[in-house]
Amino acid sequence: VSLGLRLFGNLYAGEIIFILVAIMYGAGLLFAPLAGLIQIVWALFHILIIFLQAMIFMVLTVVYMALAYQNDEAH
């Protein structure tokens, strides 16, 4: 549960930054070109980070489940 909540929090924070940049884009002609550039750079960075976090959390989940179901009986 904690891994899922942490992943959700990280993804949600990235989306909030998208919203803040969109507000900056709507602030006027002075900020629009800068906000457009930031939006493209942030989108590429965010896609990379989402992929890496999902992969890391998937591996951690598999490790935690393997440890939880580990059987120490010797036959």
Side-chain angles (χ1 to χ4, degrees):
V1 172
S2 67
L3 286 175
L5 290 174
R6 183 175 174 180
L7 183 60
F8 173 76
N10 289 337
L11 298 177
Y12 185 71
E15 298 303 321
I16 292 295
I17 291 176
F18 273 128
I19 292 170
L20 292 174
V21 173
I23 291 170
M24 189 172 117
Y25 185 77
L29 294 176
L30 181 64
F31 292 116
L34 177 64
L37 179 66
I38 291 173
Q39 191 83 346
I40 292 169
V41 170
W42 180 254
L44 295 173
F45 179 71
H46 189 60
I47 289 170
L48 173 69
I49 294 302
I50 287 174
F51 177 73
L52 288 175
Q53 285 182 350
M55 204 166 69
I56 288 169
F57 289 139
M58 179 187 63
V59 168
L60 285 174
T61 302
V62 169
V63 168
Y64 292 158
M65 291 184 82
L67 290 172
Y69 292 112
Q70 190 173 18
N71 194 356
D72 291 334
E73 294 180 21
H75 294 306

